[in-house]
Amino acid sequence: MKQSKFFRVVAASIVVLFGLTACQPMYSPELKGEWRITGFHTSTNAELTDEEALSWLGYSAHFGERRIQFSRYDCHDPKITTDWQQLNVVTDRLGVAPDLFGMRGETPVQLLFIDCHGEPWFTPGAELIRLDDERLIMAWKGVIFEFRQQRSAR
Protein backbone atom coordinates (compact mmCIF):
# COMPACT_ATOMS: atom_id res chain seq x y z
CA MET A 1 0.00 0.00 0.00
CA LYS A 2 2.77 2.47 0.95
CA GLN A 3 4.71 1.53 -2.18
CA SER A 4 1.66 2.22 -4.37
CA LYS A 5 1.27 5.71 -2.88
CA PHE A 6 4.97 6.37 -3.41
CA PHE A 7 4.70 5.45 -7.12
CA ARG A 8 1.64 7.69 -7.54
CA VAL A 9 3.54 10.63 -6.02
CA VAL A 10 6.55 9.96 -8.26
CA ALA A 11 4.34 9.64 -11.35
CA ALA A 12 2.51 12.88 -10.49
CA SER A 13 5.85 14.66 -9.97
CA ILE A 14 7.07 13.52 -13.37
CA VAL A 15 3.87 14.76 -15.03
CA VAL A 16 4.24 18.16 -13.33
CA LEU A 17 7.92 18.38 -14.34
CA PHE A 18 7.12 17.65 -17.99
CA GLY A 19 4.23 20.11 -17.87
CA LEU A 20 6.46 22.92 -16.59
CA THR A 21 9.10 22.13 -19.19
CA ALA A 22 6.49 22.24 -21.94
CA CYS A 23 5.50 25.80 -20.96
CA GLN A 24 8.79 27.14 -22.30
CA PRO A 25 9.51 27.13 -26.01
CA MET A 26 12.22 24.75 -27.08
CA TYR A 27 14.64 26.43 -29.44
CA SER A 28 16.46 24.46 -32.05
CA PRO A 29 18.96 24.55 -33.62
CA GLU A 30 21.13 25.88 -30.85
CA LEU A 31 23.26 28.99 -31.00
CA LYS A 32 26.17 27.29 -32.73
CA GLY A 33 27.29 29.00 -35.88
CA GLU A 34 27.28 32.53 -37.17
CA TRP A 35 24.76 35.25 -36.34
CA ARG A 36 24.81 38.64 -38.06
CA ILE A 37 23.39 42.02 -36.99
CA THR A 38 20.67 42.82 -39.51
CA GLY A 39 18.85 45.69 -37.84
CA PHE A 40 18.56 47.91 -34.81
CA HIS A 41 15.98 49.81 -32.77
CA THR A 42 16.78 52.93 -30.78
CA SER A 43 15.30 53.36 -27.32
CA THR A 44 14.61 56.70 -25.67
CA ASN A 45 17.80 56.41 -23.60
CA ALA A 46 20.17 55.59 -26.48
CA GLU A 47 23.77 56.67 -26.03
CA LEU A 48 24.70 55.74 -29.61
CA THR A 49 23.67 57.92 -32.53
CA ASP A 50 21.78 56.38 -35.43
CA GLU A 51 24.97 56.67 -37.50
CA GLU A 52 26.97 54.78 -34.86
CA ALA A 53 24.29 52.09 -34.59
CA LEU A 54 24.11 51.83 -38.39
CA SER A 55 27.85 51.15 -38.51
CA TRP A 56 27.23 47.93 -36.50
CA LEU A 57 25.08 46.41 -39.26
CA GLY A 58 26.82 43.34 -40.64
CA TYR A 59 28.88 42.64 -37.50
CA SER A 60 28.78 38.97 -36.72
CA ALA A 61 28.87 36.79 -33.65
CA HIS A 62 30.17 33.25 -33.87
CA PHE A 63 29.19 30.64 -31.30
CA GLY A 64 31.37 27.56 -31.12
CA GLU A 65 31.92 24.76 -28.64
CA ARG A 66 34.85 26.39 -26.85
CA ARG A 67 34.82 29.95 -28.19
CA ILE A 68 32.45 32.87 -28.73
CA GLN A 69 33.47 35.78 -30.89
CA PHE A 70 31.69 39.07 -31.32
CA SER A 71 33.44 41.54 -33.57
CA ARG A 72 36.83 42.08 -31.90
CA TYR A 73 35.73 40.54 -28.58
CA ASP A 74 36.78 36.95 -27.99
CA CYS A 75 35.78 34.53 -25.23
CA HIS A 76 37.44 31.16 -24.78
CA ASP A 77 35.79 28.43 -22.69
CA PRO A 78 32.46 30.28 -22.40
CA LYS A 79 29.69 29.26 -20.07
CA ILE A 80 26.14 30.23 -21.01
CA THR A 81 23.42 30.33 -18.38
CA THR A 82 19.81 30.82 -19.38
CA ASP A 83 16.58 32.03 -17.91
CA TRP A 84 13.10 32.75 -19.25
CA GLN A 85 10.98 35.90 -18.94
CA GLN A 86 7.95 37.33 -20.64
CA LEU A 87 8.83 39.61 -23.53
CA ASN A 88 6.98 42.57 -22.02
CA VAL A 89 9.14 42.41 -18.86
CA VAL A 90 12.27 42.46 -21.01
CA THR A 91 11.09 45.24 -23.32
CA ASP A 92 9.96 47.38 -20.36
CA ARG A 93 13.51 47.16 -19.03
CA LEU A 94 14.92 48.03 -22.48
CA GLY A 95 12.56 50.97 -23.00
CA VAL A 96 10.79 49.67 -26.14
CA ALA A 97 7.36 48.18 -26.91
CA PRO A 98 7.06 44.38 -27.24
CA ASP A 99 5.20 44.67 -30.55
CA LEU A 100 8.39 46.11 -32.03
CA PHE A 101 9.43 42.48 -32.57
CA GLY A 102 6.07 41.31 -33.92
CA MET A 103 5.35 39.26 -30.82
CA ARG A 104 2.81 39.35 -27.99
CA GLY A 105 4.04 40.74 -24.68
CA GLU A 106 3.29 37.55 -22.73
CA THR A 107 5.47 35.45 -25.05
CA PRO A 108 8.30 33.79 -23.10
CA VAL A 109 11.78 34.64 -24.37
CA GLN A 110 15.09 33.07 -23.44
CA LEU A 111 17.71 35.19 -21.68
CA LEU A 112 21.33 34.17 -22.28
CA PHE A 113 24.16 35.31 -20.02
CA ILE A 114 27.74 34.57 -21.09
CA ASP A 115 30.60 34.11 -18.64
CA CYS A 116 34.14 33.95 -19.95
CA HIS A 117 36.76 31.96 -18.03
CA GLY A 118 34.32 31.85 -15.10
CA GLU A 119 33.97 35.64 -14.95
CA PRO A 120 31.18 37.92 -16.23
CA TRP A 121 31.90 39.16 -19.74
CA PHE A 122 31.23 42.92 -19.88
CA THR A 123 31.20 43.40 -23.64
CA PRO A 124 28.60 43.64 -26.38
CA GLY A 125 27.06 40.21 -26.78
CA ALA A 126 27.50 39.17 -23.15
CA GLU A 127 23.73 39.30 -22.56
CA LEU A 128 21.38 38.20 -25.31
CA ILE A 129 17.65 37.67 -25.63
CA ARG A 130 16.54 34.85 -27.89
CA LEU A 131 13.21 35.75 -29.46
CA ASP A 132 12.83 32.58 -31.52
CA ASP A 133 14.87 30.04 -33.51
CA GLU A 134 16.41 32.59 -35.82
CA ARG A 135 16.44 35.90 -33.92
CA LEU A 136 18.53 37.21 -31.05
CA ILE A 137 18.54 40.72 -29.70
CA MET A 138 21.23 42.51 -27.77
CA ALA A 139 20.92 45.82 -25.96
CA TRP A 140 24.02 47.97 -25.94
CA LYS A 141 24.08 51.61 -24.83
CA GLY A 142 20.34 52.01 -25.33
CA VAL A 143 20.23 50.47 -28.81
CA ILE A 144 18.65 47.07 -29.41
CA PHE A 145 20.51 45.19 -32.13
CA GLU A 146 18.80 42.31 -33.88
CA PHE A 147 20.79 39.27 -35.00
CA ARG A 148 19.71 36.67 -37.56
CA GLN A 149 21.25 33.24 -37.75
CA GLN A 150 23.23 32.73 -40.95
CA ARG A 151 22.44 29.48 -42.67
CA SER A 152 24.62 28.06 -45.38
CA ALA A 153 22.91 27.35 -48.68
CA ARG A 154 23.06 23.72 -49.68
Side-chain angles (χ1 to χ4, degrees):
M1 188 73 155
K2 286 183 182 180
Q3 191 174 19
S4 175
K5 185 176 180 180
F6 171 76
F7 285 119
R8 281 194 305 245
V9 169
V10 169
S13 298
I14 290 171
V15 169
V16 167
L17 178 63
F18 282 124
L20 289 175
T21 303
C23 291
Q24 298 173 346
M26 299 304 288
Y27 292 136
S28 176
E30 290 304 314
L31 288 175
K32 291 179 185 148
E34 186 174 345
W35 295 72
R36 193 168 298 281
I37 293 179
T38 58
F40 68 92
H41 310 280
T42 307
S43 68
T44 56
N45 58 349
E47 295 175 34
L48 299 177
T49 65
D50 284 349
E51 292 79 24
E52 289 171 318
L54 191 60
S55 73
W56 286 51
L57 290 181
Y59 277 23
S60 65
H62 183 79
F63 294 87
E65 284 284 327
R66 309 213 9 109
R67 181 179 182 198
I68 294 175
Q69 248 182 314
F70 175 74
S71 185
R72 67 178 186 264
Y73 304 101
D74 212 356
C75 176
H76 294 275
D77 298 319
K79 179 182 175 215
I80 300 176
T81 54
T82 64
D83 196 4
W84 293 86
Q85 253 181 12
Q86 286 185 326
L87 179 61
N88 59 359
V89 173
V90 173
T91 56
D92 283 351
R93 183 171 47 92
L94 298 178
V96 295
D99 62 357
L100 184 65
F101 304 106
M103 301 168 67
R104 295 172 53 109
E106 60 274 2
T107 304
V109 294
Q110 188 177 31
L111 309 178
L112 304 157
F113 305 99
I114 299 171
D115 288 337
C116 195
H117 301 290
E119 299 290 326
W121 198 33
F122 297 108
T123 64
E127 293 183 12
L128 301 166
I129 298 112
R130 189 158 188 181
L131 300 176
D132 54 38
D133 272 350
E134 297 183 1
R135 292 187 302 164
L136 291 172
I137 57 172
M138 168 191 79
W140 186 253
K141 296 189 176 187
V143 177
I144 296 90
F145 293 96
E146 189 168 333
F147 288 84
R148 295 275 179 169
Q149 189 165 29
Q150 304 299 295
R151 306 221 186 260
S152 59
R154 293 180 190 226

